[in-house]
Amino acid sequence: MLFSTFFLNQTRPLYCRINPSVPVLDRFFYQEDPRPDFLLSRESLAVLLNLLNQDRRHGWGATIEILVFLFWLASGASYRVVSRVFGMPCSTVHYIVHQVTKEVLAIRYQVIHLPTSPEDLEVVPRGVAGLACHRAFMKAVGAIDGCYIRIKCPSGPDGQSYRNRKLFPSIILQAVCDHRGCFIDTYVGWPGSVHDSRVLRHSPLYSQSVYPPPGHFILADGGYPCLQRPLPLITPYKRPVQGVGAQRFNSHHSRARSIIERAFGMMKNRFRAIFLQALEVHHAFVPHVITACAVLHNICLSAGDIVAPEDEPEEDGAEDDEGEAGLEALSGALLQDQLSAEVSGLEEVPPDHDYC
C-alpha cells in the first residue's frame, strides 16, 4: 500500500532523536493510529505527502512540519501550546502553520476541481440521480450551499458586517460537491451578514459560467434563486408547496441536495476544533485555513478515510427573494417545472436499482 512506502520503513527523523520527549511524535513513529492526534489516517497522510512532494534540505523536515500543522488543526490550540507539545519555538510553529497552509493551497486545484472528463460527467449525474432515487435528476452534476465559519470579530466599523443572522461573527464558505461529498468548487471569505445569493453572484463559478456543461444543472436550497443562466441552479418549490407533483419533486430534490450538508458535516466533524470555535488567528488568514481543510477533506475521502457527519445537518438558508431581482430573464422556473413533470411522469427508481 502507498502508506507503507512513507511510514512502515521510515526511521525516526533526526528531530525526534535529539528531542526524545515528544510523546505525540513517538506515538506516530511507533505506528500507533495517528487519527487521535492528527485527524488523518496513515493512508491519507501518505497521499498528502505524495501530493506536496516536499524535499526539505533544511528546517524540520516535511513530515514533522506537516504533523505540526495537522496537530494545530486537530487541537485548535494557540501557537504557544503547540510549541510546548513539540518542544520548538512559538515563532517556528507560526512559520510552519503558515508555510504548510500555503503549500496545501498550492495543490488545491489538483484536489478540488470541476468534473470535466466524459467519464466524470457520466458518473457524477448518475450518482446524484441515485441520491435522489429518481432518474429525472440524471442531469444534476452537484449540489451547492453555504455555511458559516466562526471568526474573531474584526475591530473597526466593519466588524458588525461579519455578524450573521445567528448573531455570531463569521465568514461564509460557499461550496459545490459531487455525489460522494467531495468538494468540486469552493469560495470563501465574504462577511457572515451577506446573503447566499449575493455571494453566489460574485463567485467565479457564477461569473465565469464554465460549469455545469450545457444541459446540466446544480441543485440548491431555497436561499438561492432558481436560474437557467448564467449558472443553471434548480431549487425546490417555495413553501407553501402547491400540488402533489411539486411535493414529490421537493422530496427527491432534498434527498440529492442534502449531500452538500453531509459534506459540510463530515468536514466539520473531522476538524471540530476549527469549525466549532473561533480560530485564534487574524480573520484574513481564516479563508486559507478553511480552504486547506476542504483540500484535506477530499484527500481523506479519496483514501477511504471517512468521518461520519454531525447528527444535525446544516440549517437551510432563509427562503426569501433576495438576489432574484434583475434575474427574472434568467429564471430557471421553466426547467424546474419540466423536472417536476418528469418526476410525476416517470416511475421512481426501485430500491435495488443502481440509482438508489
Side-chain angles (χ1 to χ4, degrees):
M1 295 177 67
L2 178 62
F3 73 91
S4 62
T5 303
F6 283 99
F7 300 116
L8 294 184
N9 298 321
Q10 184 173 345
T11 59
R12 295 174 79 242
L14 177 62
Y15 177 77
C16 294
R17 297 198 293 272
I18 63 177
N19 296 272
S21 58
V22 185
V24 68
L25 292 179
D26 286 340
R27 290 193 292 271
F28 177 80
F29 287 105
Y30 285 135
Q31 302 304 315
E32 293 186 24
D33 184 356
R35 284 174 290 187
D37 293 319
F38 305 109
L39 302 178
L40 274 63
S41 68
R42 291 190 180 273
E43 292 86 350
S44 299
L45 278 164
V47 174
L48 176 60
L49 279 166
N50 187 55
L51 284 168
L52 293 177
N53 193 27
Q54 297 294 321
D55 182 18
R56 300 285 203 281
R57 291 184 171 83
H58 55 81
W60 305 93
T63 301
I64 296 296
E65 292 185 0
I66 289 170
L67 292 179
V68 170
F69 169 70
L70 291 176
F71 184 86
W72 177 76
L73 287 181
S75 63
S78 67
Y79 297 139
R80 188 174 304 279
V81 171
V82 177
S83 74
R84 291 171 181 164
V85 170
F86 284 88
M88 58 178 59
C90 186
S91 59
T92 299
V93 173
H94 178 277
Y95 169 80
I96 288 174
V97 168
H98 282 254
Q99 181 61 28
V100 176
T101 300
K102 181 179 178 181
E103 292 169 1
V104 173
L105 293 184
I107 63 169
R108 169 186 178 182
Y109 295 110
Q110 297 179 53
V111 180
I112 301 175
H113 54 81
L114 298 169
T116 55
S117 70
E119 181 181 4
D120 287 343
L121 291 175
E122 179 179 345
V123 170
V124 174
R126 188 176 185 86
V128 175
L131 295 174
C133 291
H134 206 292
R135 56 178 61 90
F137 290 83
M138 274 294 293
K139 294 298 183 180
V141 287
I144 188 172
D145 204 356
C147 73
Y148 296 130
I149 309 299
R150 292 178 182 271
I151 62 170
K152 293 174 62 178
C153 190
S155 58
D158 294 334
Q160 291 303 309
S161 68
Y162 286 87
R163 293 196 178 275
N164 57 44
R165 58 189 175 85
K166 298 181 180 180
L167 303 181
F168 62 82
S170 64
I171 59 174
I172 296 172
L173 165 63
Q174 174 188 283
V176 183
C177 76
D178 65 13
H179 61 292
R180 302 166 298 167
C182 280
F183 297 118
I184 59 176
D185 184 80
T186 59
Y187 180 60
V188 57
W190 277 76
S193 64
V194 178
H195 192 273
D196 284 348
S197 60
R198 184 181 176 195
V199 175
L200 172 72
R201 292 200 309 274
H202 287 84
S203 68
L205 181 71
Y206 183 92
S207 60
Q208 295 175 5
S209 301
V210 297
Y211 188 83
H216 295 74
F217 54 87
I218 295 172
L219 302 176
D221 67 20
Y224 290 92
C226 187
L227 298 174
Q228 189 164 353
R229 289 184 294 110
L231 178 66
L233 286 186
I234 298 301
T235 64
Y237 287 102
K238 293 186 181 296
R239 294 190 289 263
V241 180
Q242 303 294 326
V244 175
Q247 292 175 4
R248 289 186 62 196
F249 170 80
N250 278 11
S251 175
H252 289 288
H253 182 287
S254 178
R255 292 179 188 178
R257 186 195 57 77
S258 63
I259 187 61
I260 184 63
E261 295 174 355
R262 180 176 175 83
F264 285 147
M266 287 189 287
M267 182 170 65
K268 286 186 172 185
N269 212 17
R270 183 183 300 273
F271 302 105
R272 296 180 67 85
I274 299 298
F275 288 95
L276 299 185
Q277 63 186 18
L279 270 176
E280 293 296 319
V281 297
H282 192 278
H283 70 275
F285 183 52
V286 176
H288 302 301
V289 176
I290 299 307
T291 302
C293 288
V295 171
L296 295 174
H297 165 84
N298 278 14
I299 287 174
C300 290
L301 289 189
S302 71
D305 179 11
I306 299 173
V307 172
E310 296 175 304
D311 293 335
E312 295 185 5
E314 279 288 298
E315 182 180 331
D316 285 351
E319 292 194 5
D320 56 36
D321 295 330
E322 183 175 337
E324 296 193 21
L327 294 175
E328 293 302 323
L330 312 176
S331 173
L334 179 61
L335 179 56
Q336 184 186 50
D337 290 341
Q338 291 172 349
L339 288 170
S340 180
E342 288 184 37
V343 168
S344 298
L346 294 174
E347 294 182 359
E348 292 188 27
V349 178
D352 59 347
H353 195 279
D354 287 345
Y355 291 171
C356 196

